[in-house]
Amino acid sequence: MKALRHLLSMDDLDRDDIDYLLDLTQRYVEVSERKIPRIPALRGKTVALVFYEDSTRTRISFATAASRLSADTLGFDVKRSSANKGESLRDTIETISAMGIHGIVLRHFGAGAPWRVCEWTDASVINGGDGRNQHPTQSLADLFTARQHLGELDGKRVAIVGDIKNSRVARSNAIGFAKMGAEVVFVAPQTLLPVSLEGWPVSVTHNLDEVVDEIDICYLLRMQLERQHDAPVPTMREFHHEFGLTAARADRLKEGALIMHPGPMNRDVEIAGEVADRPNAVITEQVANGVAVRMAVLFVLIGSRLDLVEESSLADQESAVA
Ligand code: CP
């Protein structure tokens, strides 16, 4: 794949890059299944986890991925940091960078924040979610999980359903699935769609019942109440009735069709609680695969940087995927 210093958006990757990362992920899944799931690929490297928004999956899976590659992690708890005393993002990044780090995983409420951070550090920056904009490693975990079950994604039909307006996962996955040859349809009320979808590789419907029998993946999105400042739907009960994956709709999915969700879920809002636990719901597999995908991303960004490679670590690099 092409040399990549940062991963900020699914737009940074072409299909060959995605294929390379997913193939490498498969090798790291195998590493993760070993009795001692650790290789020396990033020994001596430090990754800072800088999270200005809450996270369970992304933060813990990056920490686990770094540990499995023998990298050290530097945690940054914004609630206990000098950001609380008014320190700017730039000063925070420059301070952390001065401690000698090689990678920064950034989650920030501001769309575009990771692009600014790249200007303030020599470390490789990975976007762990910026506002409503992008969440590329979630998309890679989803593509990997979908490919594991369905094979190549060319011609597969993917419905992304719910609060698309506020979802960085929807934006990353629209790009990711389309680059892998899938057809993406957004399913949402007008009030939960972005003002313009010009240039997006998607079609749109306001009726889940129109497409539910034909799709290969039903990808539900969390209702992001914390980002909704108006009332885009009358009630959650009504939203569930009109746009949720109810048991009746889940029964209509094709045989082999997958139910996906990035988590955290609002059970009985976007997805019926019982449906989330069905065998074709691969939600916990998405989480598990998130570790191996993030190992692949950390290795490709940090382990492949020639300016960071020392003579003594070349053997470690070569054994990274062995
Ligand atoms: N899917 C996802 O980004 O989850 P977290 O917010 O728990 O990281």
Side-chain angles (χ1 to χ4, degrees):
M1 76 174 275
K2 65 176 175 280
L4 200 63
R5 190 177 184 114
H6 309 292
L7 178 59
L8 308 182
S9 164
M10 286 304 284
D11 279 324
D12 295 340
L13 304 172
D14 60 27
R15 183 174 179 155
D16 285 346
D17 298 329
I18 297 172
D19 273 327
Y20 181 89
L21 282 165
L22 300 191
D23 290 345
L24 188 55
T25 297
Q26 181 55 44
R27 300 176 82 167
Y28 285 140
V29 166
E30 285 151 26
V31 168
S32 298
E33 286 166 356
R34 289 181 195 166
K35 209 166 173 184
I36 301 174
R38 186 181 285 250
I39 56 174
L42 294 185
R43 195 163 57 186
K45 303 293 186 289
T46 302
V47 178
L49 306 175
V50 181
F51 279 61
Y52 281 79
E53 273 189 349
D54 295 339
S55 167
T56 298
R57 292 149 201 80
T58 311
R59 186 188 173 104
I60 293 175
S61 61
F62 266 113
T64 307
S67 162
R68 289 187 181 167
L69 295 170
S70 304
D72 296 315
T73 49
L74 189 155
F76 173 82
D77 179 357
V78 71
K79 294 189 182 83
R80 291 170 172 270
S81 77
S82 290
N84 260 348
K85 303 175 196 164
E87 189 163 45
S88 68
L89 178 60
R90 179 177 183 159
D91 287 338
T92 301
I93 294 298
E94 289 180 349
T95 299
I96 294 170
S97 298
M99 295 177 196
I101 55 164
H102 307 96
I104 295 176
V105 181
L106 179 76
R107 172 166 289 189
H108 200 276
F109 45 82
W115 280 262
R116 299 305 313 279
V117 164
C118 292
E119 298 166 13
W120 305 324
T121 183
D122 289 332
S124 290
V125 178
I126 301 169
N127 185 355
D130 63 319
R132 298 177 172 90
N133 187 34
Q134 281 285 313
H135 196 351
T137 59
Q138 177 68 49
S139 179
L140 290 168
D142 297 338
L143 294 175
F144 182 81
T145 307
R147 206 178 73 164
Q148 265 186 328
H149 285 271
L150 303 176
E152 292 302 327
L153 299 176
D154 294 279
K156 297 286 188 290
R157 296 201 70 197
V158 183
I160 300 181
V161 187
D163 186 0
I164 288 158
K165 181 179 180 180
N166 293 302
S167 175
R168 51 198 174 210
V169 175
R171 283 163 178 76
S172 284
N173 267 339
I175 299 168
F177 277 106
K179 284 193 175 179
M180 299 310 283
E183 275 176 49
V184 180
V185 56
F186 279 171
V187 185
Q190 195 63 47
T191 49
L192 287 176
L193 286 168
V195 175
S196 168
L197 285 169
E198 202 182 322
W200 290 49
V202 299
S203 57
V204 177
T205 175
H206 305 305
N207 187 350
L208 180 54
D209 289 309
E210 236 175 41
V211 296
V212 75
D213 313 273
E214 299 162 10
I215 53 181
D216 299 286
I217 297 174
C218 188
Y219 195 107
L220 290 317
L221 298 169
R222 181 172 70 86
M223 276 293 256
Q224 302 210 20
L225 300 175
E226 76 277 20
R227 295 192 210 279
Q228 295 174 3
H229 303 301
D230 42 12
V233 294
T235 63
M236 291 302 138
R237 181 192 288 253
E238 203 163 312
F239 174 80
H240 181 67
H241 181 70
E242 294 285 322
F243 291 94
L245 189 63
T246 58
R249 289 195 179 106
D251 289 343
R252 288 174 51 198
L253 287 167
K254 284 195 303 195
E255 193 177 340
L258 303 177
I259 297 166
M260 302 182 77
H261 192 301
M265 279 183 280
N266 298 304
R267 285 180 189 250
D268 298 322
V269 177
E270 61 267 7
I271 184 168
E274 170 267 310
V275 169
D277 300 323
R278 290 191 182 189
N280 59 331
V282 293
I283 297 159
T284 50
E285 289 178 45
Q286 291 169 257
V287 175
N289 288 330
V291 175
V293 123
R294 289 170 177 122
M295 289 171 78
V297 169
L298 287 172
F299 177 70
V300 162
L301 295 188
I302 301 170
S304 308
R305 272 181 63 177
L306 292 177
D307 57 322
L308 299 180
V309 175
E310 296 153 26
E311 288 282 308
S312 59
S313 66
L314 279 174
D316 291 345
Q317 303 290 337
E318 279 158 15
S319 68
V321 292

